[in-house]
Amino acid sequence: MNTKIYFLALVVATIIMSCGNNSKSIDYPETDLAVNPLIPYPIQIEASGSGFGLSTNTEIVVDTESENLKFIADYLANSISDQTKIHPVVSNKPNKRARGVICIGLTKEIDPKKEEAYEISISNDSLVLSAATEAGLFRGVQTIRQLIPPMSNDTIYKEPLYVIPTGKIVDEPVMSYRGAMLDVARHFFTVDEVKRYIDQLAYFKFNKFHMHLSDDQGWRIEIKSWPKLTEVGAQSEVGGGEGGFYTQEQFKDLVDYAAQRYIEIIPEIDMPGHTNAACYSYPFLNGNGKDLEYYTGTQVGFSTFDARKDSTYLFLDDVIREISAISPSEYFHIGGDESHVTKKADYIYFVDKLEEMVQNHGKRMIGWNEIAQADLSPSSVGQLWNEPHNALKAAEAGCSIILSPATKCYLDMQYDSTSIYGLHWAAYIEVDDAYNWDPLTFVEGLPQDKILGIEAPLWSETISNSAELEYLAFPRAACIAELGWTPQDRRDWSEFSLRLAMQESYFERENIQYYPSSKIPWAK
Ligand code: TNX
């Protein structure tokens, strides 16, 4: 038996033996695990009506020899202490006096192909989280965090207990790609701001974070062989602020930070359009024949690389090589949207060349739906934002599709006409609009086996810091998280809105500046 798996079996046996009698005296109130604040909602819940009392005597037991498992357990311990001020001990073996043990471990009982599946069994004395993979355990930790009530019950025992309902949760996502995108080009977001967003996405079980690293207004990642991209091209942003960029070290730090949360970062260099900042830094790249200047406005579609110059491709080969070397993702996103001043034949030529180049660097190409005009290979991925016909065309070429329809998924759309941030060219998207649709049937005729997943882009023309980002992202990102995880037949808006209301304590505790939509029955 694998030692880690043996570990879980051993600990569960120890818990049953050592803690078996400790909680008998507690008269738990009746509970119902099925009525809970969980977002996304799990696929299977069996409630058993009693309680597990999280208290100062609760310990977390994990195989501490494994650095990754220890990280996951510590992540839960820190979260518990933020939520309750209780800081559980994390150890290999429960202390004899421990009352209530949270046990985290890998198991062979779950199919390892179910990469993010997990199970949680909760009884009076123990809460056992198991999964076939570390990613599954990390997802399960988010479920535990969400099950902890905001208030303790101080009357049923000699010390305060945070009562978690007993029962069993068996869970796994419907989609393997559940992403969010942040545009760090229109306005730059610092490493700490990006990390903060990654943590919020992790809480809702997202597993991909797409970074839009370049656009007309700024180039945001250091390329050592072409230093002016950041010396010149990163020095501004929408509205004329000072901009900024990530050094390669900082980008690697973000990749690692996300990976510890089992989130993959997908880098995007948007081209051949949306390239004013690069062309301004290196004018030989420019293909629109006009004089170049910094651009701090919000128009789109006026810039292009020169798609017929060999030097453009020599430059891009360096860019893709350097980024690929620091990006473990299997994907490289080439953008490809709104290249309105690139001739159609040049655009197709460009995308075909880039697809090959990306593949030569060991990656699969992703591009916005316009790339379907090119002769795509089946390993590439089209990202639908506004043209269902191009999503269908890409799928016919054998490509998988990421669904990000602007009318549903765009977190930068205003909620309604009174929203203080955001645009509304695609739609006003209230929280129920973001929730009430089915990604699997959204594009008529798109085969479901071609749907890789869903992604919520957040363009940053109107936002420049965490508070503004959070106003647009929350609570709608929670809707997209559930669409990617929970099967359609388990989704119901009125019931979801109650669960979302129960997330208020999370938003407040983390000081998340969410939009307090009137569609949600918030307690306050
Ligand atoms: C369209 S969506 C764009 C972006 C803008 C966004 C604003 C897409 C692929 N292109 O350049 O930022 O609208 O909502």
Side-chain angles (χ1 to χ4, degrees), residues 303-502:
S303 58
T304 184
F305 281 154
D306 186 334
R308 296 287 175 178
K309 235 190 220 164
D310 288 346
S311 49
T312 300
Y313 297 101
L314 293 175
F315 163 84
L316 288 175
D317 197 52
D318 288 337
V319 168
I320 295 173
R321 178 180 337 96
E322 288 199 31
I323 295 177
S324 297
I326 53 174
S327 168
S329 171
E330 69 177 299
Y331 300 110
F332 187 95
H333 201 308
I334 67 148
D337 58 313
E338 298 173 319
S339 284
H340 302 324
V341 295
T342 320
K343 288 196 192 98
K344 185 168 176 188
D346 291 355
Y347 178 84
I348 292 170
Y349 178 77
F350 182 87
V351 173
D352 285 344
K353 296 266 287 181
L354 262 287
E355 182 180 68
E356 198 185 330
M357 197 182 282
V358 165
Q359 289 174 357
N360 287 342
H361 290 291
K363 307 287 180 189
R364 291 172 65 183
M365 179 177 81
I366 307 182
W368 298 106
N369 49 217
E370 289 95 324
I371 63 162
Q373 298 169 85
D375 181 22
L376 298 178
S377 84
S379 68
S380 294
V381 176
Q383 183 164 10
L384 169 84
W385 67 282
N386 69 340
E387 296 171 334
H389 68 277
N390 268 330
L392 290 169
K393 191 156 183 267
E396 271 161 34
C399 301
S400 298
I401 305 297
I402 298 166
L403 295 168
S404 302
T407 51
K408 301 288 180 193
C409 284
Y410 269 30
L411 299 178
D412 63 310
M413 290 299 115
Q414 291 175 301
Y415 294 88
D416 63 26
S417 62
T418 66
S419 297
I420 39 180
Y421 302 108
L423 305 170
H424 62 263
W425 64 264
Y428 290 118
I429 307 180
E430 246 299 353
V431 185
D432 54 342
D433 301 319
Y435 187 82
N436 272 326
W437 62 291
D438 179 5
L440 294 180
T441 56
F442 183 77
V443 180
E444 224 186 295
L446 184 64
Q448 298 197 352
D449 65 351
K450 288 287 167 231
I451 298 176
L452 181 63
I454 189 170
E455 184 177 291
L458 178 43
W459 302 97
S460 63
E461 285 92 335
T462 66
I463 55 168
S464 61
N465 58 43
S466 288
E468 296 165 6
L469 177 164
E470 287 158 15
Y471 170 89
L472 288 174
F474 298 102
R476 289 180 295 192
C479 302
I480 304 301
E482 179 145 313
L483 295 181
W485 185 285
T486 310
Q488 173 72 13
D489 62 3
R490 290 187 72 83
R491 294 201 299 262
D492 173 75
W493 162 255
S494 56
E495 184 268 336
F496 174 81
S497 68
L498 299 175
R499 280 184 282 125
L500 189 50
M502 287 194 263

Side-chain angles (χ1 to χ4, degrees), residues 6-22 61 92-96 98 101 103 125-126 128:
Y6 177 67
F7 176 83
L8 180 70
L10 184 74
V11 169
V12 174
T14 320
I15 293 167
I16 292 165
M17 283 177 337
S18 66
C19 313
N21 297 321
N22 284 349
V61 180
N92 248 315
K93 211 164 105 212
N95 184 311
K96 277 260 155 46
V101 176
C103 178
D125 306 308
S126 67
V128 179

